[in-house]
Structures are given as structure tokens and as C-alpha cells.
Amino acid sequence: MIKKISENSILENLDAYGAHADVLSDGSLSNIFAYRAFDLRDRFSAPFPDFRSALEALQSDTSYLPEMSGEIIAYCRDGRSFEIPRDFFIRDEPRFASRAAAEQWVRERMAALERGDRFAGRQGAALANPDDPIERQVEDALAWQESRLVDPQENDAVCEQVDRWLLEQLETAC
């Protein structure tokens, strides 16, 4: 998705210690002058000089629920912007590794309900409806995906993939 935004509006909050547009990026991606990272509470108002810095901001302790709403946008000097696909830095993984693990979770929750645990019905309600038949609960639990940010050890590979993707976007958008 391409969004228009001016270079001045990105840089307006920078002070003497902030970066200037002409030094924020260099090399083959020099048309991109800044990146913004967004979390659920929009804690990163200042632009970042490169994708890695924006990704590391989302991976930091400062970030609030980036798995749910993490976004990184690259801003070009000509007013275009590119939202980096979340698949590059947020992975969706199954909640349960096997059918047996999902079934065990369902049966443990059912046992807790039978014991009168008043919170058991709410526990995992998003995964599976405790009123459904057991087989349906197991299927729902197996289908559930949890989102997580990539591990910092993956940042080099992710940055390379994003650079290639951005180069393609810049070439096709011209």
C-alpha cells in the first residue's frame, strides 16, 4: 500500500540531536529517508534512520504489544511510503505443536470446569468454546495461531529480505 506523506512532516519533530534527511539513508535505498515503527500505543514518534532500528524498537521493552499491531513504514523523498508487510517481522505460529497437546489442554480445561473452577471457562475462550463438543474444541485449538516478533538473532536475515522487497517496490513504483 502506498501512502503519500511529505519529508517535512516526518522531520518536523527532530531537534539538533535528531538526524537530517540527507544522512538518514544511503546506498541503493537512498530514496528512503526514514522509517517509522508503530505499536499499540504509538510509543515511537521519532523516525528511525533504517529498518533495523525500527525493528529493534518494536523488539524493545518499550514497545507495547507489537505482536498485535506492529507496523513499520518506509518513507520516500518523493512523498511515497511503503508499509512493510508484517510477515517479514511478525510470525504466526500454531499454539499447539500436536493434536495430542491440544486435546490435553481441552481435557484439562474440561476437568477444571467440572471441579467448579470459575475461571476455567474464560481461560482460552478465544481458542475454543468450552460449550462445544470436545472434538470441535480440539480442532479450534489446533487452528489457533499466536503472533510473535522475530527473534533478534534473525534481524540480519529479515533486514536483507526487507531491503530486497523495498528495492522491488521502488523499481515497480517508478
Side-chain angles (χ1 to χ4, degrees), residues 128-141:
N129 182 347
D131 297 329
D132 284 345
I134 289 178
E135 186 58 31
R136 173 68 190 262
Q137 291 183 57
V138 171
E139 292 297 323
D140 289 346

Side-chain angles (χ1 to χ4, degrees), residues 122-151:
R122 292 184 188 182
Q123 173 194 4
L127 271 71
N129 182 347
D131 297 329
D132 284 345
I134 289 178
E135 186 58 31
R136 173 68 190 262
Q137 291 183 57
V138 171
E139 292 297 323
D140 289 346
L142 272 173
W144 186 261
Q145 300 281 312
E146 290 184 339
S147 297
R148 69 162 184 83
L149 282 171
V150 294
D151 291 324

Side-chain angles (χ1 to χ4, degrees), residues 86-156:
R86 65 173 263 148
D87 294 348
F88 283 119
F89 55 94
I90 297 177
R91 306 279 192 252
D92 291 327
E93 299 175 340
R95 170 80 153 74
F96 298 100
S98 67
R99 180 173 192 75
E103 188 171 342
Q104 178 182 352
W105 176 82
V106 168
R107 293 199 183 279
E108 287 173 0
R109 184 173 71 160
M110 297 288 288
L113 283 169
E114 290 172 7
R115 287 191 308 267
D117 182 344
R118 63 184 181 143
F119 296 110
R122 292 184 188 182
Q123 173 194 4
L127 271 71
N129 182 347
D131 297 329
D132 284 345
I134 289 178
E135 186 58 31
R136 173 68 190 262
Q137 291 183 57
V138 171
E139 292 297 323
D140 289 346
L142 272 173
W144 186 261
Q145 300 281 312
E146 290 184 339
S147 297
R148 69 162 184 83
L149 282 171
V150 294
D151 291 324
Q153 296 82 4
E154 298 177 64
N155 286 1
D156 288 339

Side-chain angles (χ1 to χ4, degrees), residues 6 11 13 30 53 57 65-66 72 75 92 94 102 109-110 120 127 129 139 147 154 161:
S6 73
L11 297 175
N13 292 325
S30 61
S53 299
L65 297 175
I72 299 176
Y75 295 98
D92 291 327
R109 184 173 71 160
M110 297 288 288
L127 271 71
N129 182 347
E139 292 297 323
S147 297
E154 298 177 64
Q161 293 170 344

